[in-house]
Amino acid sequence: MSVLSSRQARSLGVLLLFLAGLAGAAPRPPFAIETRLVRGVYWPWEKTARHAKHADMELWEFVDHMMGRIRNEWHCNLIWFVNGPQEPARVCDLAAKHGLTVLPGTRLAGLFVHGLRSEEQLDRAVKQTVDVLGQKPALGAYVLKDEPKNLERAQLEAFRMALAEADPEHPAIAVTMTNHTEALALDSGFPVICTDIYHFGGPRSPAIPNPPRRSQQTYRGAVMALADMCQQGGKTAWSMPQAFVDVWGASWTDDQGNVVIEPGSYWHWRMSTVAETRWQIWESIRAGCKGVVFFSALLGGGDEW
């Protein structure tokens, strides 16, 4: 007769509670990040040092400066970090000064890259993450992974459950591509489902919808499908719309931050216009999303400005 380990027993208990919820138990109370309309930006941390250097600022001076702009000029209330930040507790403290909520990357992200060798390794990563961030007023949720695939759902769910046990006040979160969203929306305990919807392709892009009318049609379909799945699964829907340009081929960024495309290259994704950016926001809200987090806060920053 096999005996369950303490972690297996705890995980089984959480799973049974989750299944009871699916069976019609009383709805769970919402987390803090589910109780307001989120207006956010996605911040790739690996670009921070290059942008700080270009602005002739020390790294943390630049972070503080950008947070002020994000709050006061962009009118956002949340920052979602990826590939960092380097010092998440310090970032949370700076964000609190500006009245911003932070979704920081965690120590668990490395376990997806380097592999999980034991339950004890997961326990240590969870404890270290919660000890550093769990009491920070600016913390909104723990970011697990950028664009996980369907086949990683079980690992994501195990990590989410471990964090939920250690810190019941803050959920875990991940952003998914549209074709990998259904698994989390309908078959996981993640309370917030966020999908990146990048459907504004450059002229003659072979992979991204274009021209503009086609881009709008596919965006509308994707965000409505997201909201419908979240309604079915009792989740909160967030969209991650497009506010960036990506070039296949030679390009560079000038001193004003404009991306210059060299002959022979083409726009894979094009920057949405101001009108299209506003349209993405209102279309998300119309579909039923409670949050909009734009990619990306920092663009460019390649070898040549």
Side-chain angles (χ1 to χ4, degrees):
M1 177 178 179
S2 63
V3 179
L4 294 175
S5 70
S6 60
R7 170 164 290 284
Q8 288 172 323
R10 292 196 301 269
S11 297
L12 179 61
V14 175
L15 178 61
L16 290 174
L17 288 173
F18 173 59
L19 293 175
L22 293 180
R28 61 171 176 80
F31 289 98
I33 59 172
E34 297 180 89
T35 61
R36 56 183 174 144
L37 180 64
V38 165
R39 311 178 308 277
V41 290
Y42 197 74
W43 184 322
W45 182 257
E46 72 275 12
K47 295 181 180 289
T48 306
R50 185 170 292 278
H51 278 265
K53 181 180 179 180
H54 183 68
D56 196 25
M57 293 183 181
E58 183 271 333
L59 178 74
W60 292 104
E61 178 190 9
F62 175 77
V63 172
D64 186 41
H65 168 75
M66 275 298 299
M67 285 186 174
R69 290 193 63 196
I70 288 169
R71 180 61 175 168
N72 300 315
E73 297 179 27
W74 301 358
H75 308 291
C76 293
N77 56 18
L78 179 140
I79 301 174
W80 182 320
F81 284 96
V82 66
N83 302 326
Q86 184 178 7
E87 297 180 39
R90 187 170 183 177
V91 163
C92 283
D93 291 340
L94 280 175
K97 184 182 82 170
H98 293 284
L100 290 162
T101 296
V102 172
L103 311 185
T106 67
R107 293 177 180 268
L108 281 74
L111 301 182
F112 288 98
V113 178
H114 304 294
L116 179 64
R117 294 182 293 275
S118 67
E119 291 183 1
E120 289 73 21
Q121 185 187 15
L122 175 59
D123 289 337
R124 286 194 301 272
V126 167
K127 184 178 187 305
Q128 290 168 349
T129 295
V130 173
D131 285 351
V132 169
L133 296 172
Q135 299 303 314
K136 293 296 182 182
L139 177 67
Y142 299 103
V143 176
L144 288 184
K145 195 175 191 300
D146 181 60
E147 296 185 332
K149 307 297 191 294
N150 287 336
L151 56 84
E152 296 173 298
R153 188 204 62 80
Q155 186 176 13
L156 277 170
E157 185 66 1
F159 287 10
R160 182 200 66 78
M161 292 167 66
L163 279 168
E165 183 180 345
D167 182 2
E169 300 299 318
H170 299 99
I173 196 168
V175 59
T176 55
M177 293 181 286
T178 53
N179 56 333
H180 294 278
T181 296
E182 185 174 2
L184 288 191
L186 301 181
D187 191 21
S188 82
F190 284 85
V192 176
I193 304 298
C194 183
T195 303
D196 48 18
I197 309 174
Y198 308 149
H199 288 334
F200 288 83
R204 297 181 297 281
S205 174
I208 310 303
N210 65 95
R213 182 184 295 272
R214 179 60 177 160
S215 296
Q216 290 178 318
Q217 288 174 340
T218 51
Y219 182 93
R220 179 181 290 117
V223 77
M224 290 180 67
L226 166 66
D228 288 347
M229 285 189 291
C230 286
Q231 185 175 32
Q232 292 177 48
K235 318 243 183 232
T236 297
W238 290 4
S239 68
M240 186 173 288
Q242 176 181 342
F244 68 93
V245 60
D246 184 72
V247 179
W248 283 17
S251 66
W252 52 282
T253 308
D254 68 16
D255 288 337
Q256 286 72 47
N258 300 308
V259 176
V260 181
I261 304 173
E262 295 286 0
S265 305
Y266 75 93
W267 295 348
H268 189 51
W269 283 283
R270 65 171 176 85
M271 177 69 77
S272 53
T273 66
V274 172
E276 288 168 340
T277 301
R278 290 173 176 159
W279 179 87
Q280 289 179 87
I281 295 171
W282 289 113
E283 194 66 19
S284 295
I285 295 171
R286 187 180 74 85
C289 292
K290 305 300 183 186
V292 178
V293 183
F294 271 95
F295 185 93
S296 169
L298 301 181
L299 297 173
D303 294 333
E304 297 184 67
W305 280 86

